[in-house]
Coordinates of all heavy atoms in Angstrom, one line a residue:
Chain A
L62 N -11.5 10.6 24.3 CA -12.5 9.5 23.8 C -12.8 9.8 22.4 O -13.1 8.8 21.6 CB -13.8 9.6 24.7 CG -13.7 9.0 26.1 CD1 -15.0 9.2 26.8 CD2 -13.3 7.6 26.1
L65 N -10.8 7.8 19.8 CA -11.2 6.5 19.5 C -12.7 6.3 19.2 O -13.2 5.2 19.1 CB -10.9 5.5 20.7 CG -9.4 5.1 20.9 CD1 -9.1 4.3 22.0 CD2 -8.9 4.4 19.6
L67 N -15.3 6.9 21.1 CA -15.9 6.1 22.1 C -16.9 7.0 22.9 O -17.4 6.6 24.0 CB -14.8 5.6 23.1 CG -14.0 4.4 22.7 CD1 -12.9 4.0 23.7 CD2 -15.0 3.2 22.5
M95 N -12.9 1.1 12.6 CA -12.6 1.8 13.9 C -12.3 0.7 15.0 O -11.4 0.8 15.8 CB -13.9 2.5 14.3 CG -13.7 3.8 15.1 SD -12.5 4.9 14.4 CE -11.6 5.3 15.9
R96 N -13.0 -0.4 14.9 CA -12.8 -1.4 16.0 C -11.5 -2.0 15.8 O -10.7 -2.4 16.8 CB -13.9 -2.5 15.8 CG -14.5 -2.9 17.1 CD -15.5 -4.0 17.0 NE -16.6 -3.7 16.2 CZ -17.0 -4.5 15.2 NH1 -16.4 -5.6 15.0 NH2 -18.0 -4.2 14.4
L98 N -8.9 -0.5 14.8 CA -7.9 0.5 15.2 C -7.8 0.5 16.7 O -6.7 0.6 17.3 CB -8.4 1.9 14.7 CG -7.4 3.0 14.8 CD1 -6.4 2.9 13.7 CD2 -8.1 4.4 14.8
R99 N -8.9 0.4 17.4 CA -9.0 0.5 18.8 C -8.2 -0.7 19.4 O -8.5 -1.8 19.1 CB -10.4 0.4 19.4 CG -11.2 1.6 19.1 CD -12.6 1.4 19.7 NE -13.5 2.4 19.1 CZ -14.8 2.2 18.7 NH1 -15.2 1.0 18.8 NH2 -15.4 3.1 18.2
G100 N -7.3 -0.4 20.3 CA -6.5 -1.5 20.9 C -5.5 -2.0 19.9 O -4.7 -2.9 20.4
G101 N -5.6 -1.6 18.7 CA -4.6 -2.0 17.7 C -3.6 -0.8 17.6 O -2.6 -0.7 18.5
I103 N -4.1 2.4 18.0 CA -4.3 3.4 19.1 C -4.9 2.6 20.3 O -5.9 2.0 20.2 CB -5.3 4.5 18.7 CG1 -4.7 5.2 17.4 CG2 -5.4 5.5 19.8 CD1 -5.6 6.3 16.9
A104 N -4.3 2.8 21.4 CA -4.9 2.2 22.7 C -5.1 3.3 23.7 O -4.6 4.4 23.6 CB -3.9 1.2 23.3
M105 N -5.9 2.9 24.6 CA -6.3 3.9 25.7 C -6.3 3.4 27.0 O -6.9 2.2 27.2 CB -7.7 4.6 25.3 CG -8.1 5.8 26.1 SD -9.3 6.8 25.4 CE -9.6 8.0 26.7
I106 N -5.9 4.0 28.0 CA -6.1 3.6 29.4 C -6.8 4.7 30.2 O -6.8 5.9 29.8 CB -4.8 3.2 30.0 CG1 -3.8 4.4 30.1 CG2 -4.2 2.0 29.4 CD1 -2.5 4.0 30.9
F107 N -7.5 4.3 31.3 CA -8.4 5.2 32.0 C -7.9 5.5 33.4 O -7.0 4.9 34.0 CB -9.8 4.7 31.9 CG -10.3 4.5 30.5 CD1 -10.2 3.2 29.9 CD2 -10.9 5.5 29.9 CE1 -10.6 3.1 28.6 CE2 -11.3 5.3 28.6 CZ -11.2 4.1 28.0
T127 N -7.9 -10.2 24.2 CA -7.4 -9.0 23.4 C -6.2 -9.4 22.4 O -6.2 -8.9 21.3 CB -6.8 -8.0 24.4 OG1 -7.7 -7.7 25.4 CG2 -6.6 -6.6 23.7
H131 N -6.2 -9.0 18.2 CA -5.3 -8.2 17.5 C -4.1 -8.9 16.9 O -3.5 -8.4 15.9 CB -4.8 -7.0 18.4 CG -5.9 -6.0 18.7 ND1 -6.5 -5.2 17.8 CD2 -6.6 -5.8 19.8 CE1 -7.4 -4.5 18.3 NE2 -7.4 -4.8 19.6
M175 N -3.9 -2.8 33.1 CA -4.5 -2.0 31.9 C -3.5 -1.6 30.9 O -3.8 -1.7 29.7 CB -5.2 -0.8 32.5 CG -6.4 -0.9 33.4 SD -7.7 -1.8 32.5 CE -8.1 -0.7 31.2
L178 N -2.7 -4.6 28.8 CA -3.8 -4.8 27.8 C -3.7 -3.9 26.7 O -4.0 -4.2 25.5 CB -5.2 -4.6 28.5 CG -5.8 -5.7 29.4 CD1 -6.8 -5.3 30.3 CD2 -6.2 -6.9 28.5
A179 N -3.3 -2.6 27.0 CA -3.2 -1.6 25.9 C -2.0 -2.0 25.0 O -2.1 -1.8 23.8 CB -3.0 -0.2 26.5
Chain B
Y224 N -16.0 -0.7 32.7 CA -15.2 -1.8 32.1 C -15.7 -2.0 30.6 O -15.0 -2.6 29.9 CB -15.3 -3.1 33.0 CG -16.7 -3.8 33.0 CD1 -16.9 -4.6 31.9 CD2 -17.6 -3.6 34.0 CE1 -18.2 -5.3 31.9 CE2 -18.8 -4.2 34.0 CZ -19.1 -5.0 33.0 OH -20.2 -5.6 32.9
V225 N -17.0 -1.6 30.4 CA -17.5 -1.8 29.0 C -16.7 -0.8 28.1 O -16.3 -1.2 27.0 CB -19.0 -1.6 29.0 CG1 -19.5 -1.5 27.5 CG2 -19.7 -2.8 29.7
R226 N -16.6 0.4 28.5 CA -15.9 1.4 27.7 C -14.4 0.9 27.6 O -13.9 1.0 26.4 CB -15.9 2.8 28.4 CG -15.4 3.8 27.5 CD -15.7 5.2 28.1 NE -14.7 5.4 29.3 CZ -14.7 6.4 30.1 NH1 -15.6 7.5 29.8 NH2 -13.8 6.6 31.0
A227 N -13.8 0.4 28.6 CA -12.5 -0.1 28.4 C -12.4 -1.2 27.4 O -11.4 -1.3 26.7 CB -11.9 -0.5 29.8
A228 N -13.3 -2.1 27.4 CA -13.3 -3.2 26.6 C -13.5 -2.7 25.1 O -12.9 -3.2 24.2 CB -14.5 -4.2 26.9
R229 N -14.4 -1.7 24.9 CA -14.5 -1.2 23.6 C -13.2 -0.5 23.2 O -12.8 -0.7 22.0 CB -15.6 -0.1 23.6 CG -17.0 -0.7 23.7 CD -18.0 0.4 23.2 NE -19.4 -0.1 23.5 CZ -20.1 0.5 24.5 NH1 -19.7 1.6 25.1 NH2 -21.3 0.0 24.8
A230 N -12.5 0.1 24.1 CA -11.3 0.7 23.7 C -10.3 -0.3 23.3 O -9.2 0.1 22.6 CB -10.7 1.6 24.9
R231 N -10.4 -1.5 23.7 CA -9.5 -2.6 23.3 C -9.9 -3.1 21.9 O -9.3 -4.0 21.4 CB -9.5 -3.7 24.3 CG -8.4 -3.5 25.3 CD -8.4 -4.6 26.3 NE -9.4 -4.3 27.4 CZ -10.1 -5.2 28.0 NH1 -10.1 -6.5 27.6 NH2 -10.8 -4.8 29.0
G232 N -11.1 -2.7 21.4 CA -11.5 -3.1 20.1 C -12.4 -4.3 20.1 O -12.7 -4.9 19.0
L233 N -12.9 -4.8 21.3 CA -13.8 -5.9 21.3 C -15.0 -5.6 20.6 O -15.5 -4.5 20.7 CB -14.0 -6.4 22.7 CG -12.8 -6.9 23.6 CD1 -13.2 -7.3 24.9 CD2 -12.0 -8.0 22.8
I238 N -18.8 -8.2 23.8 CA -18.9 -7.4 25.1 C -20.2 -7.8 25.8 O -20.2 -8.1 26.9 CB -18.8 -5.9 24.8 CG1 -17.4 -5.5 24.3 CG2 -19.2 -5.1 26.0 CD1 -17.2 -4.1 24.0

Side-chain angles (χ1 to χ4, degrees):
Chain A
L62 288 176
L65 284 178
L67 282 174
M95 210 52 226
R96 228 182 300 131
L98 192 82
R99 290 183 196 134
I103 305 181
M105 184 162 180
I106 59 175
F107 300 93
T127 313
H131 291 292
M175 287 306 295
L178 281 166
Chain B
Y224 73 82
V225 170
R226 191 172 71 182
R229 287 199 190 113
R231 267 180 271 146
L233 298 183
I238 290 175

